[in-house]
Amino acid sequence: GASIASLDLPPDDRTPDHFSVKEAVMPFGRFPGADTVLGPEMKSTGEVMGIAATMPAAYAKTQTAISYRLPTEGTVFISVNDRDKRSIISLARDFVRLGFQVASTEGTSRVLAASGVPVRTVRRVSEEHPNIGDMVAAGEVTLIVNTPQGQDARDDGYYLRLEAVRHGVMNITNLPAAQAIVAAMESARREEPQVVALQDLQ
């Protein structure tokens, strides 16, 4: 019944020399038809934690723990809503710098091309074949960055996200997560992950 303030505990001035990142496990493949855009309902079946000297390295560990393989090459498909179009330019440049090819549907492709990003324009899922859905099914896409128009939108993006789950392609639905993935990729290329035991942390 005592308050913490009344216990006269010694001050804890320790500053951790590591980063700890917690990541939820989202087994969307077990729930056919479930959208990968998160909302208030609980969709996770567990969580993992990555610990490392830097945040990107810790985040990369969480992806390994969930059995997500960070792509190292191939094509990144980018299609974002209008409010994200300007912000996606620097991310697209990062993907190109890391050696990826970039493909986009017409609207996003036009913005990227105008900013000097080499990009391949592809058709939407709802357009005639071959389209981006066919590319995902054929294994021609290693990563998808797709920010939706809204939570309940059943548009091309929704059906593209379903295809991504069906074929095991990493699908990112917001820009902060995409930035974290780029940083994790760069960290994984610089150094091998080091094992850190919880017992060794003070």
Side-chain angles (χ1 to χ4, degrees), residues 59-143:
Y59 184 65
K61 281 187 172 184
T62 67
Q63 302 307 293
T64 301
I66 302 175
S67 297
Y68 292 161
R69 286 178 296 181
L70 292 174
T72 58
E73 60 183 358
T75 297
V76 176
F77 173 74
I78 300 175
S79 179
V80 296
N81 59 51
D82 289 342
R83 68 177 178 272
D84 290 334
K85 280 188 167 58
R86 287 211 173 273
S87 301
I88 200 62
I89 295 169
S90 61
L91 266 172
R93 287 176 177 153
D94 286 338
F95 283 121
V96 171
R97 178 173 50 80
L98 290 172
F100 290 89
Q101 290 81 49
V102 174
S104 299
T105 46
E106 186 176 358
T108 303
S109 180
R110 190 163 48 245
V111 171
L112 295 179
S115 299
V117 177
V119 58
R120 171 186 172 191
T121 304
V122 299
R123 297 186 183 99
R124 298 176 179 275
V125 172
S126 59
E127 295 177 340
E128 63 182 86
H129 301 278
N131 56 40
I132 182 57
D134 300 317
M135 291 176 63
V136 172
E140 298 173 12
V141 176
T142 57
L143 177 68

Side-chain angles (χ1 to χ4, degrees), residues 149-199:
Q149 296 290 347
Q151 176 65 29
D152 297 322
R154 291 296 188 264
D155 56 6
D156 279 5
Y158 168 73
Y159 294 105
L160 177 61
R161 293 189 293 275
L162 293 185
E163 284 298 300
V165 171
R166 185 176 296 119
H167 297 286
V169 177
M170 182 180 284
N171 176 40
I172 303 170
T173 59
N174 63 76
L175 296 190
Q179 292 165 342
I181 285 291
V182 167
M185 288 175 177
E186 291 180 317
S187 174
R189 290 186 180 194
R190 282 195 303 268
E191 58 184 335
E192 288 291 321
Q194 302 298 313
V195 175
V196 178
L198 288 175
Q199 294 85 345

